[in-house]
Amino acid sequence: MPMEGVRVRKFKPFFVLAAYVFLAFPFLAVASNYGAGNYGAGTYSLTRAASYTLTGPNSGRVNVVSTAFTITPNDTYVGTVTPSDNGAGGTFSPSALTFNSNTSQTFTYTAVAAGTVTITAQTNPTLNDSSSVITYIVQDVPGTPANVTAVPGNNSATVSFTAPSNGGSPITSYTVTASPGSVVVSGPGSPIVVPNLINGTSYTFTVSATNTVGTSTTSASSTPITLAGDVTPTIPSGGGGGGYSGGPVSTPSPATPIVTPPAGTNAPCANGALYSSVTGEKCPDVPIGNSGGVPGSGTNPYDFTENLSYRMTRPQVKLLQQYLNFKGFTVARKGAGSKGNETTYFGTATRSAVIAFQKAKGIKPSVGFFGPLTRAYIRTH
């Protein structure tokens, strides 16, 4: 029975139930006001993001850390984002990103093999990521050339090999190195001719490949080959063409026997020849015309009968030096190899003059090897 003067307030059952729910299950009250969310460890976190964007580089190199990729939620996001290369085997740093806001976060990627990699991300809770995909091209130096073989020639060798994988970037050149001597020649593909070698010498060859990323490891050496010919004369110090300090060198066996003309003669000087094909000396009483031939004879006095190359000593080297000097491709301006002082030694200066001549006349390769192409050009011009 109520006491006199005391007013009693009656609580309706609905409010009692609401108070109980709020105290016992606060997350239900919050959820009823804000929508579905995450609750854990006594702290409620609200996620409003629906999607994210993934941006970053489109290419990189094997075993090189990429520049940064960026994950950006479109709104507040509380959850985890895990980058993926869809089984390509690379590594991410960090391997997962933890979000508590809409602030962007970054990660890097290191690929382990050349090729095309698809970079995506997995989200938990799930966000819409259907458009956030990056195609990442991984490049590397080329693989190593294989199956290197060599075929001997006259002061040269023809080197063949199997091309390697290009590492995701086109191969721009191959480099062949001869040993001993370290003669190095480059070319666009197999086979590659290596000139300026010494007859009678045993050589091996290695090959490397180059693309825009860099140069491959060097191949295994080829089986040794020995170039034909074993003539080893002694060259006077400072021999024609310059660049030689004396001593024996290997030269090819002559195409025709070398004969010693009788004393005081300049044989042979047949068919209107300007210079003797034996001694290299100027034939007597033969004027030099502007064409390099004998006026009115209809013949070309420069009839080279053999290939000539670096470090050779041959009578026709002297004829070659005289031809080059006469045509304006100066071997030397003074001393050995200069006009009137031509010699029989094919040195550095002679090779340089031959290269200049070949480039001017469009003879390729222009490497200073005086072979069939250059001889044919002189014979017909």
Side-chain angles (χ1 to χ4, degrees):
M1 181 175 180
M3 298 175 60
E4 187 178 350
V6 177
R7 187 176 181 179
V8 177
R9 182 181 299 273
K10 296 183 179 180
F11 291 94
K12 295 182 179 181
F14 172 79
F15 294 109
V16 173
L17 177 62
Y20 173 77
V21 169
F22 181 81
L23 294 174
F25 304 99
F27 65 92
L28 293 178
V30 175
S32 66
N33 290 327
Y34 298 101
N38 300 316
Y39 181 79
T43 302
Y44 176 74
S45 298
L46 181 65
T47 295
R48 294 192 298 265
S51 65
Y52 71 91
T53 58
L54 169 64
T55 58
N58 294 313
S59 64
R61 291 182 54 183
V62 172
N63 296 323
V64 175
V65 178
S66 71
T67 55
F69 294 85
T70 302
I71 295 282
T72 305
N74 75 325
D75 204 335
T76 298
Y77 177 62
V78 178
T80 302
V81 176
T82 305
S84 171
D85 63 2
N86 293 281
T91 57
F92 293 92
S93 181
S95 59
L97 306 173
T98 301
F99 285 82
N100 287 296
S101 67
N102 64 348
T103 302
S104 299
Q105 295 192 48
T106 62
F107 63 88
T108 59
Y109 177 66
T110 303
V112 294
T116 301
V117 176
T118 301
I119 304 294
T120 59
Q122 299 172 350
T123 56
N124 184 27
T126 302
L127 298 178
N128 178 14
D129 59 358
S130 60
S131 62
S132 293
V133 176
I134 292 179
T135 299
Y136 187 71
I137 306 300
V138 184
Q139 297 179 335
D140 197 6
V141 298
T144 304
N147 304 318
V148 181
T149 61
V151 176
N154 185 20
N155 292 108
S156 66
T158 300
V159 179
S160 301
F161 51 89
T162 301
S165 61
N166 64 13
S169 177
I171 294 175
T172 55
S173 67
Y174 294 90
T175 301
V176 178
T177 302
S179 180
S182 297
V183 177
V184 178
V185 179
S186 295
S190 177
I192 295 175
V193 176
V194 182
N196 303 323
L197 303 179
I198 300 173
N199 283 345
T201 301
S202 176
Y203 287 95
T204 60
F205 301 87
T206 57
V207 183
S208 61
T210 300
N211 63 9
T212 55
V213 179
T215 299
S216 72
T217 55
T218 301
S219 71
S221 296
S222 66
T223 300
I225 62 168
T226 299
L227 305 190
D230 57 1
V231 178
T232 310
T234 299
I235 311 304
S237 179
Y244 184 69
S245 60
V249 298
S250 296
T251 60
S253 298
T256 57
I258 299 176
V259 298
T260 303
T265 68
N266 222 351
C269 286
N271 300 321
L274 184 61
Y275 294 99
S276 167
S277 61
V278 174
T279 66
E281 299 294 333
K282 182 178 179 299
C283 292
D285 302 322
V286 178
I288 300 177
N290 290 334
S291 65
V294 178
S297 70
T299 62
N300 188 334
Y302 298 103
D303 186 17
F304 294 95
T305 60
E306 59 182 321
N307 298 334
L308 304 172
S309 62
Y310 183 52
R311 291 185 176 178
M312 290 180 64
T313 299
R314 308 289 296 143
Q316 288 202 354
V317 172
K318 187 171 185 177
L319 180 63
L320 173 60
Q321 291 180 5
Q322 291 167 333
Y323 175 83
L324 293 168
N325 285 334
F326 176 67
K327 290 294 186 179
F329 298 92
T330 304
V331 176
R333 298 196 178 277
K334 62 180 180 178
S338 63
K339 192 170 185 178
N341 296 295
E342 292 88 351
T343 73
T344 59
Y345 177 63
F346 196 123
T348 302
T350 304
R351 181 170 60 178
S352 297
V354 172
I355 291 173
F357 176 81
Q358 290 170 330
K359 288 182 177 179
K361 305 303 180 183
I363 302 170
K364 296 181 179 180
S366 303
V367 295
F369 174 65
F370 188 75
L373 294 178
T374 309
R375 289 166 50 199
Y377 179 90
I378 292 175
R379 188 178 301 114
T380 56
H381 289 77

